Amino acid sequence: MKQYLVGGAVRDELLGIPVKDRDWVVVGATPQEMLDAGYKQVGADFPVFLHPETNEEYALARTERKQGHGYHGFTVHASPDVTLEEDLQRRDLTINAMAKSVDGAVVDPFGGREDLEARLLRHVSSAFSEDPLRILRTARFAARFAPLGFQVAEDTMALMKRMVAEGEADHLVAERVWQETCRALHEKAPAVYFEVLDACGALAVVMPEIGALFGREGREPLDHLEKATERSDDTDVRFAALVSGLDSGEREALNSRMKVPNDCKELAAASGSLLERFPADDNPSAEQIQALIDEGDGWRRPERFERILLVLESVGIGADWTTMLAEARYQASQVDPKALMAEGYKGKALGQAIQRERLRCIHDVVVSK
Ligand code: CTP
């Protein structure tokens, strides 16, 4: 049996960036030979094994065929006769379809190296279109490597457009869409992910609410996302900035279909509803500021309020205002309920006294600006 490092590890090594996971392909072995050599099988029917010590993945060389739509109906064929080239050929992009033997020789039958140099994301073969998830993956790699100058190759963009036009993207399961989107939001230039999906027509199919938002507001949501990307590495802040222009009905529809996790959903809802209430022209009054902090639940969860402020700043509420909001919240949070209790306040009157004192502190901040 022969073993080769494949996929992302070879790509990243050649790009000179740190390698995260190392995946291997094994040519010329049977499952039994892998088990005999001490590897552990992952899943009963799948030809993937874990190395007993490193826990890295070793997959038997395989080919894949597809009859059905979407990503249903795959037949996997793994046997000792499948060659390394055949295994590389079933992969998505040329830069992901290179291998390296243990003696260090790079095997590159599809011009991955050349495309790395030309900064191109190019599909390996027409088999790309058998898996619609690859549209999202290509957009995600574009988002990761855009700062290095990478672009989607013209013929690959044309192929992705054809796939969308033929309805392949209709079969993507919403949870998978979120999974890829969430990963994309972590990348260096997440706005590029949405740009690529928009350019090939997939955005309107997989995230129609965001597609409609782009239709209404043009580049603005992407500007918001870019500003949020500069300010925070966190998915929830980036997501909330992107979707800030949706109305609550659209946001709900998007969130529930994609099963967006609570932290992202809540931050988007809180910042969205705050934005709706934010006075458009004048500086907010002390009462308005108090209502905004109330609405964002900034009294009990100051960390979340900080995140809301990051979103507001990203969508263009002036830095002066967000600084003022932060300062107002901080000063008002210093109001000590115990001191008021010592003065004899309790129950509902105590709650009112706390709010009154807070308002006084906020007022002082507003006046001093
Ligand atoms: N692959 C593919 N089509 C998919 C998923 C994966 O062709 N739908 C192939 C690619 O060749 C990829 C390899 O399987 O390089 C491993 O997939 P994955 O670990 O998801 O990607 P990496 O390229 O390793 O990228 P990352 O750095 O994000 O882990």
Side-chain angles (χ1 to χ4, degrees):
M1 70 171 85
K2 272 188 128 175
Q3 300 169 338
Y4 299 87
L5 192 62
V6 277
V10 181
R11 175 198 69 215
D12 291 348
E13 225 175 82
L14 289 171
L15 277 174
I17 60 181
V19 170
K20 281 177 292 160
D21 298 319
R22 289 167 21 121
D23 295 322
W24 300 82
V25 158
V26 184
V27 179
T30 63
Q32 192 54 49
E33 282 167 329
M34 294 300 283
L35 294 173
D36 292 346
Y39 289 82
K40 284 169 277 178
Q41 189 155 6
V42 182
D45 308 317
F46 213 62
V48 176
F49 299 81
L50 293 181
H51 189 281
E53 273 146 38
T54 63
N55 250 0
E56 289 172 353
E57 268 187 29
Y58 286 70
L60 298 187
R62 65 179 190 263
T63 57
E64 282 168 1
R65 284 274 141 60
K66 200 192 70 159
Q67 279 95 30
H69 274 297
Y71 46 102
H72 303 289
F74 269 108
T75 17
V76 174
H77 170 70
S79 89
D81 308 331
V82 176
T83 64
L84 178 63
E85 280 72 15
E86 283 170 327
D87 182 284
L88 294 175
Q89 192 176 6
R90 71 171 168 83
R91 292 170 186 265
D92 52 2
L93 301 170
T94 59
I95 63 164
N96 291 339
M98 291 181 278
K100 201 174 126 180
S101 64
V102 265
D103 62 17
V106 174
V107 184
D108 175 22
F110 305 104
R113 246 176 150 155
E114 213 174 288
D115 284 338
L116 271 186
E117 268 155 39
R119 302 306 202 218
L120 283 174
L121 303 171
R122 186 198 303 281
H123 61 286
V124 170
S125 77
S126 58
F128 179 96
S129 59
E130 291 180 356
D131 179 1
L133 193 69
R134 289 174 168 174
I135 297 174
L136 304 184
R137 283 175 56 88
T138 302
R140 179 163 63 79
F141 283 115
R144 182 183 303 178
F145 293 133
L148 297 179
F150 275 82
Q151 283 179 334
V152 179
E154 259 175 51
D155 48 350
T156 302
M157 181 55 87
L159 177 61
M160 299 202 301
K161 281 183 185 164
R162 272 205 306 282
M163 287 167 72
V164 174
E166 284 164 10
E168 280 292 317
D170 305 354
H171 302 282
L172 280 165
V173 175
E175 283 100 316
R176 286 311 298 269
V177 174
W178 171 254
Q179 225 175 51
E180 283 299 317
T181 303
C182 185
R183 285 186 180 174
L185 286 166
H186 274 297
E187 301 289 2
K188 289 225 161 56
V192 174
Y193 171 80
F194 296 95
E195 269 169 343
V196 170
L197 292 184
D198 195 32
C200 69
L203 190 66
V205 178
V206 298
M207 288 177 270
E209 298 81 5
I210 299 184
L213 179 68
F214 282 23
R216 289 199 298 267
E217 297 187 357
R219 252 207 76 85
E220 205 164 76
L222 292 175
D223 285 344
H224 297 162
L225 175 57
E226 279 168 359
K227 296 216 176 79
T229 304
E230 286 165 21
R231 288 178 169 76
S232 170
D233 289 339
D234 296 333
T235 323
D236 56 353
V237 172
R238 294 176 172 190
F239 179 70
L242 174 75
V243 300
S244 64
L246 296 182
D247 66 38
S248 54
E250 289 171 317
R251 211 163 36 231
E252 268 300 300
L254 179 71
N255 288 342
S256 67
R257 197 183 53 255
M258 293 205 300
K259 301 206 168 57
V260 173
N262 284 343
D263 55 343
C264 279
K265 220 160 57 181
E266 284 174 18
L267 187 67
S271 18
S273 104
L274 237 68
L275 273 168
E276 276 164 25
R277 284 167 178 70
F278 214 88
D281 311 317
D282 301 322
N283 279 348
S285 66
E287 284 80 4
Q288 280 170 324
I289 289 183
Q290 187 174 43
L292 291 175
I293 302 173
D294 270 333
E295 179 71 29
D297 198 13
W299 307 115
R300 265 165 300 199
R301 300 164 68 183
E303 309 78 17
R304 194 174 72 149
F305 196 67
E306 295 291 314
R307 303 168 92 65
I308 292 177
L309 292 181
L310 284 176
V311 179
L312 296 192
E313 245 176 65
S314 308
V315 305
I317 301 293
D320 287 354
W321 286 13
T322 48
T323 313
M324 188 167 77
L325 278 174
E327 173 72 8
R329 196 210 69 82
Y330 174 73
Q331 293 299 343
S333 70
Q334 299 300 302
V335 170
D336 181 8
K338 286 202 193 88
L340 291 167
M341 281 153 84
E343 285 178 34
Y345 288 105
K346 52 184 170 201
K348 203 170 164 201
L350 176 63
Q352 286 167 344
I354 293 173
Q355 282 296 71
R356 208 165 43 239
E357 273 303 294
R358 283 175 174 169
L359 192 58
R360 199 180 49 71
C361 295
I362 296 171
H363 187 75
D364 288 348
V365 173
V366 174
V367 168
S368 74
K369 292 282 162 191

